[in-house]
Amino acid sequence: MENKKFDLNSILGFVFMGLILLWMFYSQSKQTKIDQAKQAKEQKIADSIQKVNQKTKVLGNQIIKDSTTTAVTNVDSLKTAELQSQFGAFAYSASLPSAQVHKTVLENDVLKITINNKGGQIDEILLKKYLTYDKKPLYLVKNKNSNFVLNFNTKDNRVLNTKDLYFEPKLLQDKGVQTLSMRLKVSESKYLEYVYTLMPNNYMLDFNVNSIGLENVLDASKPVNLQWDLKSFRTEKSVSYENMNTVLSYHFDGNEFDLIRATGKPKIKEIQDTKWIAYRQQFFSSILISKNPIKTAKLSAENLVKDDTKDTIYLKKFSTEMPLAITNGNLNNSMNFYFGPSDYNVLKTYKGLSLERSIDMGWGIFRWINKYLIIPVFDWLTKYIGSFGLIIILLTIVVKIVLSPLVFKSYLASAKMKVLRPEMEEINKKYPGKDNAMKRQQETMALQSKAGVSMLSGCIPALLQMPIFFALFRFFPANFDLRQKSFLWADDLSAYDSIYHLPFNIPIYGSHVALFPILASIAIFFYMQMTQSQQANMTPPQSEEMPFDMQKMMKIMLWVSPIMMLFFFNQYGSGLSLYYFISNLLTIAIMWVIKEYVVDEKKVHEMVRKKQAEAPKKKSAFRQRLDDAMKQAQDQQERQKNVKSKK
């Protein structure tokens, strides 16, 4: 007879089945207990509600009998007492039919503004003519991202906030002008009032805060504080680029202007005598304008983007706190709101307010170049050309034509220095060492002066081009006309042009490949390679006291500069990269034409030699003082050298 053997697999199978059955029984028992507890809790809540309703019914309909009358006590008296305890004199407004969440709409061709009874503040602002980068309706205010409230004290020692109180709306329309009165009432004749007025086809909203008959209600010894908060929505494709250009700016009565970027830690600033305060996204603005200067205000800005490689809803949080003036116990403050595009030409139409200053066109000379050169040329081109890519190319050509004399002077100076370079190297050999540094410098300057050339003759033209470079660096990110305008493969010249999405993120570079920065980097590489010899001619020959080799430094920069442009400009607007690409191409072309057809190096050599052979001209007073100073320094150096040798 065959011996029976234990099957290990079968035993394990039975064990696992047993465990599964035990787990199922346990889970079912646990779920049953949870369901029973839930039902008990729901029944308890239902019983409580029923008891409250019965109590309310009894209180509301309790019959009080005496010898002569029967009175009914209404539950409203309890409600009134509770409101009185909570809101004091403003309990009246909470007892009106308007004390509910109800919204009133002001609308024209460009704006749709929704205002809530609760708080009397704006709930939504829709810009009707614009869409977000992903083609959704563009809201400046929605889903409680904004808060506009008054905090005030009353004479019965209460601290109230308008966000907790209900206003009564009254809308009037007259020839397209819509006026909404929102009243927070103490009685029918006494109230705090917000008045919103919207004109046809206008981004400006008139806003007044006043009060009637509240002399015995408001505590005038303490300020009425206005607080305006806004979390700015992301509306553009590049989170990092838009966030970089989202700022809080403000304007003083002395035509002064400043801004708070808050790219790192939250920033808080207290200001005085302010004309307006702007919460500016890259291409859209919310601006509070006071008809009388704001005496004091506390501004704050906080960066809400912790990781710009991830999608986000909000970019920055802006906040303003400022006291409102109380005159004879009442408020009377006239203001305006601008809700619309950060378009230089649109903002400029509001005369006397300088709202265009809210757009960051750079400071000092950079802003002046944009205002009086770049913007007029750009606007003139837009009148005749529909493609903004072609407008950028033509603008670049105009800029290069203006700068071409400087390029010519720089190249000519380089050619002259090339002729003198062998003699400058001879001076270095003749006066070696640190002890002869002053003498070597003096001889070199004398040689350059005699030939009619100097180191500055090549540097100054290059430096004069820098203000235009930096001005355009600010112009393109702030140019509203480029927003959502396509050119070639770029679907939006104000954002990066993505030709390929990477499955991973590269720090600084991003997770996409933009083509215009690649083209600009290639162009700047060939430009720097072409100008290396020119830069070498303008660089003094290597001497012992120089801390590093300039030739090696230039070779390193030949590779570093294109790589830096490739990485940093990958997140920038394609319009800016297009400009630098065309600009470098044109510079290469101009320098090639100058070298091949304009500047003859043989003639330059003859001109320098002829200049050296001429009798020296009388030195200018400045040059004479400079030579005297260098001679004194050289004499002092010689004396110190002699003292050391005697020791």
Side-chain angles (χ1 to χ4, degrees):
M1 187 171 129
E2 186 179 357
N3 293 329
K4 291 184 179 180
K5 297 182 179 179
F6 289 105
D7 187 348
L8 182 61
N9 292 333
S10 299
I11 293 172
L12 291 175
F14 283 119
V15 170
F16 284 132
M17 288 177 64
L19 291 173
I20 291 171
L21 289 171
L22 287 173
W23 178 81
M24 289 176 64
F25 283 126
Y26 172 76
S27 298
Q28 186 175 3
S29 175
K30 185 177 181 181
Q31 184 63 40
T32 302
K33 290 180 179 179
I34 292 172
D35 292 340
Q36 290 174 351
K38 185 177 179 181
Q39 291 176 2
K41 184 177 181 181
E42 290 175 351
Q43 185 61 42
K44 185 177 180 181
I45 293 172
D47 292 342
S48 299
I49 293 173
Q50 186 176 3
K51 287 179 181 179
V52 170
N53 290 337
Q54 289 175 351
K55 185 178 179 181
T56 302
K57 186 176 181 181
V58 170
L59 288 173
N61 299 282
Q62 183 181 11
I63 301 174
I64 303 174
K65 298 182 179 180
D66 56 22
S67 59
T68 57
T69 62
T70 301
V72 178
T73 304
N74 197 300
V75 73
D76 288 344
S77 61
L78 297 176
K79 181 180 178 182
T80 301
E82 183 181 352
L83 293 174
Q84 185 71 33
S85 173
Q86 188 174 359
F87 301 123
F90 290 98
Y92 178 79
S93 64
S95 66
L96 298 174
S98 57
Q100 59 180 315
V101 176
H102 175 77
K103 298 179 181 181
T104 307
V105 175
L106 300 178
E107 187 172 5
N108 60 17
D109 295 335
V110 295
L111 283 177
K112 182 179 179 182
I113 301 174
T114 305
I115 300 169
N116 200 328
N117 282 14
K118 189 172 184 180
Q121 63 177 319
I122 296 173
D123 256 10
E124 291 183 357
I125 299 173
L126 172 67
L127 299 184
K128 298 170 67 173
K129 290 189 174 183
Y130 303 103
L131 299 173
T132 61
Y133 73 99
D134 51 356
K135 308 305 178 185
K136 294 179 180 178
L138 199 151
Y139 287 89
L140 296 183
V141 174
K142 193 179 182 182
N143 296 333
K144 299 182 180 180
N145 73 314
S146 179
N147 191 37
F148 187 92
V149 300
L150 297 185
N151 294 287
F152 56 91
N153 295 74
T154 61
K155 289 191 174 182
D156 55 357
N157 296 320
R158 286 182 173 83
V159 179
L160 299 180
N161 191 312
T162 53
K163 72 176 182 180
D164 302 319
L165 302 170
Y166 288 93
F167 289 67
E168 184 180 64
K170 184 178 182 181
L171 179 62
L172 300 175
Q173 299 190 47
D174 183 22
K175 298 179 181 179
V177 178
Q178 302 167 66
T179 301
L180 175 63
S181 167
M182 303 290 289
R183 292 182 177 179
L184 178 61
K185 293 184 173 181
V186 170
S187 67
E188 284 303 311
S189 60
K190 298 178 181 180
Y191 48 82
L192 170 69
E193 183 180 39
Y194 293 168
V195 180
Y196 299 93
T197 304
L198 184 63
M199 303 288 183
N201 196 33
N202 203 317
Y203 292 106
M204 191 71 76
L205 176 70
D206 290 350
F207 177 68
N208 296 326
V209 179
N210 52 67
S211 63
I212 302 294
L214 300 186
E215 301 89 345
N216 297 321
V217 177
L218 298 180
D219 185 354
S221 66
K222 297 177 182 178
V224 174
N225 288 315
L226 182 155
Q227 183 169 339
W228 178 36
D229 304 322
L230 177 72
K231 291 194 291 185
S232 64
F233 286 122
R234 174 198 174 188
T235 61
E236 311 306 318
K237 184 160 65 172
S238 174
V239 173
S240 60
Y241 196 50
E242 184 183 8
N243 196 34
M244 185 192 310
N245 293 286
T246 297
V247 300
L248 187 157
S249 56
Y250 52 95
H251 191 279
F252 296 101
D253 259 358
N255 205 32
E256 296 292 329
F257 168 80
D258 204 352
L259 53 84
I260 304 174
R261 291 195 180 276
T263 53
K265 296 180 179 179
K267 293 187 177 180
I268 300 174
K269 192 168 186 179
E270 293 186 2
I271 57 175
Q272 295 179 339
D273 297 324
T274 307
K275 191 174 182 180
W276 50 253
I277 299 165
Y279 299 163
R280 186 176 68 80
Q281 299 164 228
Q282 183 178 4
F283 289 121
F284 300 95
S285 293
S286 302
I287 307 176
L288 174 63
I289 307 143
S290 179
K291 294 185 179 178
N292 295 315
I294 300 169
K295 295 299 182 183
T296 61
K298 182 179 179 182
L299 310 180
S300 66
E302 180 183 356
N303 183 17
L304 301 179
V305 178
K306 305 306 179 185
D307 185 355
D308 57 19
T309 64
K310 297 180 180 179
D311 197 6
T312 184
I313 298 175
Y314 305 110
L315 299 177
K316 298 271 176 67
K317 180 181 178 181
F318 300 121
S319 181
T320 296
E321 294 180 22
M322 63 183 192
L324 297 182
I326 300 179
T327 305
N328 297 325
N330 281 290
L331 294 166
N332 188 8
N333 294 266
S334 297
M335 292 174 273
N336 297 94
F337 278 112
Y338 173 87
F339 299 114
S342 301
D343 187 330
Y344 184 89
N345 292 319
V346 172
L347 293 171
K348 197 169 60 173
T349 60
Y350 296 97
K351 303 296 183 182
L353 297 176
S354 301
L355 294 182
E356 68 275 9
R357 289 297 304 272
S358 65
I359 301 176
D360 185 11
M361 289 290 182
W363 55 270
I365 189 172
F366 309 129
R367 180 178 174 273
W368 285 90
I369 290 171
N370 278 323
K371 183 176 180 180
Y372 296 109
L373 174 62
I374 305 301
I375 292 177
V377 172
F378 187 91
D379 289 345
W380 181 79
L381 290 171
T382 58
K383 293 179 181 178
Y384 305 100
I385 302 171
S387 171
F388 281 87
L390 291 178
I391 289 172
I392 292 173
I393 293 172
L394 291 174
L395 176 66
T396 311
I397 293 172
V398 171
V399 171
K400 283 300 171 184
I401 290 173
V402 172
L403 296 177
S404 57
L406 297 176
V407 177
F408 173 76
K409 285 184 177 294
S410 180
Y411 190 89
L412 183 61
S414 172
K416 290 180 179 180
M417 292 293 289
K418 183 178 180 180
V419 174
L420 296 178
R421 193 167 187 82
E423 296 180 48
M424 292 167 64
E425 290 175 349
E426 286 297 324
I427 293 173
N428 278 359
K429 293 177 182 178
K430 186 177 179 181
Y431 302 101
K434 294 182 179 180
D435 294 338
N436 293 316
M438 193 64 67
K439 182 66 176 176
R440 187 167 55 248
Q441 181 68 17
Q442 194 174 9
E443 290 292 325
T444 301
M445 291 182 64
L447 173 66
Q448 293 172 352
S449 178
K450 194 173 181 181
V453 68
S454 69
M455 297 290 296
L456 293 178
S457 60
C459 296
I460 290 177
L463 290 174
L464 290 175
Q465 298 179 58
M466 295 303 290
I468 294 181
F469 175 89
F470 286 114
L472 288 165
F473 186 79
R474 293 304 328 155
F475 169 76
F476 282 102
N479 188 353
F480 187 85
D481 290 331
L482 298 181
R483 185 178 188 269
Q484 297 183 355
K485 300 298 192 304
S486 62
F487 181 68
L488 298 178
W489 58 85
D491 57 1
D492 186 351
L493 285 170
S494 70
Y496 58 79
D497 58 302
S498 178
I499 60 170
Y500 183 74
H501 288 278
L502 300 172
F504 50 85
N505 181 74
I506 301 174
I508 301 175
Y509 186 77
S511 59
H512 65 274
V513 177
L515 184 54
F516 276 128
I518 294 175
L519 295 176
S521 300
I522 293 172
I524 198 172
F525 174 81
F526 284 107
Y527 163 70
M528 293 187 70
Q529 192 176 48
M530 185 177 182
T531 58
Q532 256 200 342
S533 59
Q534 179 185 350
Q535 293 169 356
N537 293 334
M538 299 304 298
T539 305
Q542 186 72 20
S543 57
E544 295 176 10
E545 72 275 6
M546 282 190 176
F548 49 82
D549 190 338
M550 289 298 295
Q551 298 294 329
K552 290 182 179 179
M553 181 63 68
M554 285 190 291
K555 287 180 180 179
I556 293 172
M557 290 304 298
L558 175 65
W559 294 97
V560 171
S561 295
I563 292 173
M564 287 179 62
M565 172 167 278
L566 179 64
F567 268 75
F568 285 101
F569 278 64
N570 195 61
Q571 297 285 350
Y572 285 19
S574 53
L576 182 63
S577 300
L578 172 62
Y579 165 77
Y580 285 131
F581 170 54
I582 300 300
S583 177
N584 286 320
L585 284 183
L586 291 174
T587 303
I588 292 171
I590 290 171
M591 291 188 66
W592 182 81
V593 170
I594 290 172
K595 181 179 179 181
E596 296 294 327
Y597 299 103
V598 180
V599 175
D600 188 333
E601 291 192 4
K602 291 183 179 179
K603 290 183 178 180
V604 172
H605 189 277
E606 292 175 3
M607 181 174 61
V608 171
R609 295 306 178 201
K610 184 179 179 182
K611 194 80 173 176
Q612 286 178 311
E614 292 177 355
K617 294 182 180 180
K618 185 180 179 181
K619 297 179 181 179
S620 65
F622 173 77
R623 184 55 186 264
Q624 186 63 51
R625 287 195 297 271
L626 182 62
D627 288 348
D628 291 342
M630 292 187 68
K631 189 175 185 308
Q632 290 175 7
Q634 177 66 24
D635 292 341
Q636 185 178 0
Q637 193 177 44
E638 289 291 339
R639 287 193 297 270
Q640 292 175 351
K641 186 177 179 182
N642 293 333
V643 171
K644 288 180 181 180
S645 62
K646 288 178 181 180
K647 290 182 179 179

